[in-house]
Amino acid sequence: MKQYFIELNDLAEGKVSVQGSFESGLIDLAAENLQQAGTLDWSVAAERAGSEVRVTGTLKTGVELPCSRCLEVARCEVTKPFDLYFRQRDEMMFDEDEEVELDDQETRTAFFTGTKLAITEILREQLLLALPMKPLCKVDCKGLCPSCGTNLNVNTCQCLQEQFSPHMDTLLEIKKRLEERSS
Ligand SMILES: [Zn+2]
Ligand SMILES: [Zn+2]
């Protein structure tokens, strides 16, 4: 897997902008039922902001993940702008409170390799954050029957009729009796 980095030492010169396009599967989403579908187009700009590094950018791609109603594959377009601040790990930072230190280290170091900022990792995280909460295979997906699990987009089942028919019968029965009385 090719890694893209921003060399932080280059930021002394000013803003650094990079952009690219990742083929399907280049970013490891670490989930069996989640796939990048189509190219992932991205652009990233990094600049120094005080003691931090500001990273702005956007990504756009298609993803395939399970439909929230029927569990079949749903394909969704994802666009995610982002504006993030990173703090580079260096000797200067070790004077901070130790507990904060640990949290900081865990959340931030994944994005750094020495003085390099790993763009691929940032894009991966942003993509995961941008995934739809309730993806649908189609707008009018009928979902699975809650009783028997039949995919109602593909098949019908008898569950609904069985649930409703006793009730319907009773209503018809009452109606019939009422008609008999009034006649
Ligand atoms: Zn569905
Ligand atoms: Zn059913």
Side-chain angles (χ1 to χ4, degrees), residues 25-49:
L26 194 143
I27 289 192
D28 179 10
L29 295 168
E32 277 177 35
N33 53 8
L34 173 63
Q35 302 284 332
Q36 181 189 334
T39 56
L40 188 158
D41 297 315
W42 57 271
S43 64
V44 168
E47 62 189 321
R48 290 218 171 268

Side-chain angles (χ1 to χ4, degrees), residues 67 70 137 141 153:
C67 170
C70 73
C137 61
C141 171
N153 298 312

Side-chain angles (χ1 to χ4, degrees), residues 3-110:
Q3 283 283 357
Y4 284 76
F5 294 102
I6 285 179
E7 172 55 63
L8 297 181
N9 294 328
D10 292 346
L11 300 183
E13 312 292 323
K15 202 170 188 172
V16 171
S17 299
V18 263
Q19 55 185 20
S21 193
F22 290 163
E23 288 166 31
S24 269
L26 194 143
I27 289 192
D28 179 10
L29 295 168
E32 277 177 35
N33 53 8
L34 173 63
Q35 302 284 332
Q36 181 189 334
T39 56
L40 188 158
D41 297 315
W42 57 271
S43 64
V44 168
E47 62 189 321
R48 290 218 171 268
S51 62
E52 296 184 309
V53 176
R54 183 182 186 187
V55 177
T56 54
T58 187
L59 69 83
K60 187 176 184 294
T61 189
V63 289
E64 287 181 351
L65 68 177
C67 170
S68 60
R69 287 186 196 157
C70 73
L71 306 180
E72 294 297 316
V73 172
R75 195 181 188 289
C76 305
E77 293 298 320
V78 173
T79 304
K80 177 84 164 73
F82 48 89
D83 188 350
L84 310 164
Y85 288 86
F86 294 94
R87 196 178 278 186
Q88 187 186 356
R89 301 298 311 166
D90 57 34
E91 286 76 17
M92 300 282 284
M93 312 305 296
F94 284 92
D95 294 321
E96 289 181 6
D97 179 66
E98 275 186 29
E99 282 180 38
V100 177
E101 183 87 21
L102 274 177
D103 288 345
D104 257 13
Q105 201 164 358
E106 279 166 24
T107 53
R108 293 173 192 269
T109 47

Side-chain angles (χ1 to χ4, degrees), residues 158-171:
Q158 301 305 312
C159 299
L160 283 178
Q161 285 91 323
E162 280 169 20
Q163 274 168 16
F164 284 123
S165 54
H167 184 57
M168 287 299 287
D169 282 355
T170 313
L171 286 176

Side-chain angles (χ1 to χ4, degrees), residues 95-174:
D95 294 321
E96 289 181 6
D97 179 66
E98 275 186 29
E99 282 180 38
V100 177
E101 183 87 21
L102 274 177
D103 288 345
D104 257 13
Q105 201 164 358
E106 279 166 24
T107 53
R108 293 173 192 269
T109 47
F111 301 105
F112 285 103
T113 305
T115 59
K116 292 188 173 77
L117 188 59
I119 293 176
T120 320
E121 285 304 312
I122 294 172
L123 293 172
R124 177 175 178 275
E125 187 188 68
Q126 291 303 312
L127 175 56
L128 291 173
L129 287 172
L131 293 176
M133 297 299 286
K134 290 190 188 287
L136 292 176
C137 61
K138 52 185 177 182
V139 192
D140 60 346
C141 171
K142 297 191 185 82
L144 303 178
C145 169
S147 303
C148 71
T150 295
N151 184 340
L152 300 174
N153 298 312
V154 183
N155 267 309
T156 52
C157 64
Q158 301 305 312
C159 299
L160 283 178
Q161 285 91 323
E162 280 169 20
Q163 274 168 16
F164 284 123
S165 54
H167 184 57
M168 287 299 287
D169 282 355
T170 313
L171 286 176
L172 286 172
E173 196 68 29
I174 292 169

